[in-house]
Amino acid sequence: MSDWILYLILAGGVAFAVSSWWGVRRLKARHIRSAVREDAHRPGPGDQRVAVILNPVKNNAEEARQGIIDACDLAGWDAPKFFETTVEDPGYGQSRQALAYGADVVLACGGDGTVRVVAESLAHKNVAMGLIPLGTGNLLARNVDLDVTDLADCIQVALFGHQRYIDTATMGVDNDITGESAEHTFLVIAGMGLDAEVLGDTKEDLKKSVGWLAYTEAGVRHLPGRRKRVTITMDDQPEQARKIRSVLFANCGLIPGGIDFIPQAMIDDGMLDIVVMSPRSAFGWLAMYTKVLFKHNANLPMMSFYRSGKVIIRSQEPMPTQLDGDPSGEATTVTVQVEPASLLVRVPKALTGLN
């Protein structure tokens, strides 16, 4: 059987799984993303000064704006202060303005990119971030148990919900060929290799029409390819040489489609969960897909799991990278490090204990 036939079978399996998840999408998952450090708590009593970092081009942006204004008015608070993102500035300057304004809570109102930029600015600032998910993936919102289909409820949680500290992580991207380098925060999953290729090649028109399912189409197209040689260093362990297709760095593991890709990845345990994927053929991809779909405990030689506070990956040739679904350039060296309990986030309720 040729690889392409297996790819078609895999695509069919994805379509079947998606249809199954769609049919049960209203059944609420109970896998809460940990509460190992402390329970969520209510913010202090009294009025709150609210700032909103809003991506105005997102669907439902105006509905979200009005809903936030109405909720603050009903609570008897001052009108919220809005700072709109632009093509030139996706939220860094706006977040600084929100902090200068003296906000008690900053609402990230947009997609995963807006959330990530606001979080980067609020990390270690002890100012709460509320989530108003308007994007395709809405990754962090899913991992703190928000109902991303209920805008009004998300507004209520962002303004009046409990709050808890979660980990963030930083990824340094260095390209020895071009001399370019950058460092940014991520909240859910960053990656190097195939996953970044897929994200960079997902068709925007398809994403607008079918949402996150567009990534499946790009994923099937990119499955064929060769493994690349890298070295991996975790914490103070010896360097190891590997041939890989993709490496994922997970702060938490719930992704669209109801998939708990890395069930052991917890959002506040002070560790990263590293997944090294090195399949040789379509059989390897099919085995990994089956393991993830059915949460099978079997060990696969082409899919290795590690836990680490810091990881460094070096490659002789540049490889694409991504941060929470946003392409972040090609790199020959990637340095990823967890930032424990660095971000205060509004959540739906007081989460107590483990799942």
Side-chain angles (χ1 to χ4, degrees):
M1 182 182 294
S2 72
D3 275 2
W4 279 110
I5 294 176
L6 283 172
Y7 295 144
L8 291 175
I9 294 173
L10 179 57
V14 170
F16 173 79
V18 166
S19 65
S20 299
W21 287 316
W22 182 254
V24 298
R25 67 193 185 279
R26 296 186 183 276
L27 298 179
K28 194 172 185 60
R30 300 315 308 162
H31 183 85
I32 304 302
R33 310 311 302 177
S34 174
V36 298
R37 280 202 163 78
E38 62 180 44
D39 293 339
H41 58 277
R42 288 193 176 277
D47 296 356
Q48 295 183 78
R49 182 172 287 191
V50 179
V52 184
I53 313 300
L54 174 68
N55 185 338
V57 304
K58 288 293 185 181
N59 291 335
N60 300 322
E62 289 309 309
E63 181 184 351
R65 184 198 300 267
Q66 192 59 53
I68 295 166
I69 292 172
D70 291 345
C72 289
D73 181 62
L74 189 62
W77 298 350
D78 290 341
K81 186 77 169 178
F82 286 84
F83 303 92
E84 293 189 358
T85 65
T86 64
V87 174
E88 295 76 21
D89 188 342
Y92 294 106
Q94 296 85 341
S95 297
R96 289 192 295 269
Q97 289 177 291
L99 290 170
Y101 170 66
D104 298 300
V105 59
V106 179
L107 308 191
C109 193
D112 291 319
T114 302
V115 171
R116 184 177 56 78
V117 169
V118 174
E120 184 170 328
S121 301
L122 296 185
H124 305 288
K125 296 293 194 304
N126 202 35
V127 174
M129 180 175 75
L131 301 171
I132 312 296
L134 303 181
T136 302
N138 303 310
L139 296 175
L140 181 62
R142 297 174 190 274
N143 279 276
V144 296
D145 207 29
L146 282 172
D147 183 351
V148 300
T149 66
D150 191 336
L151 179 59
D153 184 62
C154 289
I155 291 172
Q156 290 295 306
V157 171
L159 293 174
F160 312 113
H162 287 68
Q163 56 192 29
R164 60 183 293 207
Y165 285 96
I166 67 170
D167 301 338
T168 63
T170 59
M171 183 164 81
V173 177
D174 296 282
N175 190 325
D176 293 340
I177 307 301
T178 65
E180 296 177 335
S181 63
E183 181 178 276
H184 291 293
T185 292
F186 69 93
L187 302 164
V188 180
I189 298 178
M192 182 181 193
L194 175 68
D195 61 302
E197 292 176 10
V198 170
L199 290 165
D201 195 32
T202 299
K203 298 175 181 178
E204 287 298 323
D205 56 344
L206 192 60
K207 190 190 300 186
K208 290 178 181 178
S209 61
V210 301
W212 65 269
L213 292 177
Y215 299 120
T216 301
E217 184 272 339
V220 172
R221 285 191 285 112
H222 280 268
L223 285 183
R226 66 182 180 85
R227 300 185 301 168
K228 296 182 180 179
R229 293 181 180 273
V230 301
T231 62
I232 304 175
T233 306
M234 299 183 194
D235 291 331
D236 297 323
Q237 299 300 310
E239 180 180 85
Q240 55 176 297
R242 299 289 296 270
K243 287 184 177 180
I244 61 101
R245 287 296 309 278
S246 186
V247 181
L248 297 177
F249 317 97
N251 188 36
C252 45
L254 193 64
I255 60 177
I259 306 172
D260 207 348
F261 186 72
I262 310 172
Q264 66 270 28
M266 297 299 171
I267 203 168
D268 62 356
D269 60 356
M271 298 292 287
L272 293 168
D273 287 80
I274 317 300
V275 185
V276 180
M277 293 179 283
S278 54
R280 296 174 180 269
S281 67
F283 286 105
W285 287 116
L286 189 59
M288 291 193 302
Y289 168 76
T290 302
K291 175 180 173 64
V292 171
L293 178 61
F294 295 103
K295 299 182 181 180
H296 202 284
N297 292 326
N299 294 322
L300 298 177
M302 74 290 293
M303 191 178 192
S304 303
F305 293 84
Y306 306 90
R307 306 194 79 227
S308 177
K310 180 179 180 180
V311 58
I312 301 172
I313 298 183
R314 295 182 174 89
S315 172
Q316 291 185 343
E317 57 183 299
M319 297 177 63
T321 64
Q322 61 89 10
L323 297 155
D324 287 346
D326 288 331
S328 49
E330 293 192 333
T332 53
T333 302
V334 162
T335 304
V336 184
Q337 185 161 354
V338 69
E339 301 284 341
S342 53
L343 182 66
L344 187 61
V345 177
R346 293 282 166 89
V347 295
K349 57 188 175 181
L351 304 179
T352 56
L354 298 176
N355 48 292

